[in-house]
Amino acid sequence: MTKINKIATGLAASLLLVSAAQAQETASSVATATVQNAFTLDETAAISFGTVRATADPAGTVQATMIIPANPTIDPSTPASGGAAAVMQILVPGTPGEYAVSGVAPFTSLTLTVPTTDVNLTGASAPPSAPKLIADTWTGYILTGPNANTVYAAANLQTDAAGEVTFAVGATLNTDDTASTTAYIDAIYSGNYDIVVAY
């Protein structure tokens, strides 16, 4: 090959390399991520203490109690009574509250917070001096999910493959613990409470 041909061949190869290096395109893109920390907590049934016969100790010294277990397969009971001073008798059994969680990642552990202080139930038409009913000792029970049929404890409220779980809440109802010479009236006694579920 002549010297001129070698130069021409080298020049052609260099031009090809330059052309290849300049043949590029750029696409501008946007990266996205959706954050969803919120989920759904529905009360499917409020706790009901049923219908009871209740008498408060006028001195507020002793209390009668009734337990609504969080486990819906266990019947309500009246384990404690102050005898003639305070009475709690079941006329119509109550039922635990029930809740449903959805919109959570599958197999995620959640925490359940129930009331830790007394929830006072009062009659709307009762006089100010009338005794109140006191709900305390709130408990949770898991109904569905990987830990179904289990008493709630830290971190065992876990969602299923669909990101859902249901649970029940029970409590103890007590007669008043303060002195009152007024009797309970025939009425619906009610009080507000919060149930909190969190990651």
Side-chain angles (χ1 to χ4, degrees), residues 11 22 24-25 29 31 38 73 91 100 116 134 167 179:
L11 182 60
Q22 292 177 344
Q24 65 181 32
E25 300 294 339
S29 300
T73 65
L91 301 177
T116 56
I134 303 168
F167 62 92

Side-chain angles (χ1 to χ4, degrees), residues 71-177:
N71 182 346
T73 65
I74 301 177
D75 293 332
S77 61
T78 52
S81 175
V87 176
M88 182 88 70
Q89 291 180 318
I90 298 172
L91 301 177
V92 178
T95 53
E98 294 190 6
Y99 299 83
V101 176
S102 60
V104 180
F107 307 112
T108 299
S109 293
L110 303 169
T111 60
L112 167 64
T113 303
V114 296
T116 56
T117 57
D118 293 348
V119 176
N120 294 328
L121 282 63
T122 57
S125 57
S129 59
K132 62 186 177 296
L133 294 167
I134 303 168
D136 63 13
T137 318
W138 296 77
T139 58
Y141 187 82
I142 302 170
L143 300 175
T144 63
N147 297 318
N149 305 315
T150 305
V151 174
Y152 171 73
N156 73 344
L157 182 64
Q158 191 178 71
T159 58
D160 59 17
E164 300 175 352
V165 65
T166 61
F167 62 92
V169 170
T172 298
L173 187 68
N174 310 275
T175 55
D176 206 342
D177 59 355

